[in-house]
Amino acid sequence: MGPGAVMIRLAATEQIVAILILGLVVFLGVHAFTMCRGARAGVIARLGERPYKILYALLSLVGLGLLIYGYGDYRAAGVIPVWQPPAWTRHIAFLLMLVALVLLPAAYIPSHIKAAVKHPMITAVKTWAFAHLLVRGDLGSILLFAAFLAWGVTARISMKRRGGPAPVAPPGWRNDIIVIAVGLALYAGVILWFHPQVIGVALVRG
């Protein structure tokens, strides 16, 4: 590949990374705005609650679309290596993803797990992002997962400052068993189908 072709490829990659960054700014920016309770209340007062929710949903979808498009094109164009994660980090990432996918249903089902973690969805996002940072050493992945991790940390701090009632565990352990069973099913689905078919990266080597 000649110098001219290299420069063209670099310029194209920079454009793709810029789309990824724009998607992150829009998607996470919209979600971060909800932490600014005064500003949020002011916008709702001016627009009305329903128009605000519609605008919030539309901006979230635009940001998510840009994020998915940018990251997909970035990987297709060839990743930009920053560091090479050691092989042993894969084992930690697998374990962390199991935790993240158990916490996901715990966000919606009252349980002892939810009562202990308090904000399972935010913890799941942080765990997911950190797990991927352990095994992805390229620029686009670092930008993507570090941004989500930073949002998760900020969101957790914001919610802790706002206070509010803590989740209460229901009597018995039936819901915890359901949460774990759903989490294990999600984990199997992500490893065996979603990651190889949708993401394009096989996690289980034949």
Side-chain angles (χ1 to χ4, degrees):
M1 184 182 291
V6 171
M7 293 300 294
I8 291 171
R9 185 187 171 195
L10 284 173
T13 305
E14 286 175 3
Q15 262 191 331
I16 292 167
V17 171
I19 293 171
L20 170 61
I21 292 171
L22 178 61
L24 286 169
V25 169
V26 175
F27 183 76
L28 294 179
V30 168
H31 286 75
F33 181 74
T34 61
M35 303 177 208
C36 306
R37 308 308 282 182
R40 178 180 176 272
V43 172
I44 291 175
R46 286 195 297 271
L47 298 180
E49 188 167 354
R50 183 175 174 78
Y52 167 79
K53 288 182 176 178
I54 292 172
L55 181 61
Y56 178 91
L58 286 175
L59 287 174
S60 295
L61 285 173
V62 169
L64 184 62
L66 287 169
L67 193 158
I68 293 171
Y69 175 81
Y71 189 63
D73 268 19
Y74 160 78
R75 290 180 61 235
V79 300
I80 303 169
V82 176
W83 73 294
Q84 182 60 46
W88 56 265
T89 58
R90 281 176 52 87
H91 305 295
I92 299 175
F94 271 103
L95 179 60
L96 289 174
M97 282 306 301
L98 175 58
V99 173
L101 291 170
V102 168
L103 290 174
L104 200 58
Y108 302 100
I109 302 173
S111 62
H112 292 82
I113 296 172
K114 184 173 184 177
V117 177
K118 292 185 176 62
H119 301 289
M121 179 62 75
I122 293 175
T123 307
V125 170
K126 290 190 295 183
T127 307
W128 163 79
F130 182 65
H132 283 77
L133 281 172
L134 288 177
V135 294
R136 300 290 300 181
D138 60 279
L139 178 62
S141 296
I142 291 170
L143 288 171
L144 175 66
F145 298 115
F148 271 92
L149 180 58
W151 171 84
V153 171
T154 306
R156 182 64 184 90
I157 293 170
S158 174
M159 295 190 80
K160 187 174 182 180
R161 285 177 177 169
R162 294 203 303 266
V168 178
W173 296 88
R174 177 176 173 272
N175 283 7
D176 291 87
I177 294 170
I178 293 172
V179 165
I180 292 170
V182 173
L184 288 172
L186 287 172
Y187 186 66
V190 166
I191 290 176
L192 299 176
W193 179 78
F194 182 82
H195 226 278
Q197 298 299 322
V198 178
I199 306 300
V201 177
L203 298 178
V204 179
R205 295 168 182 170

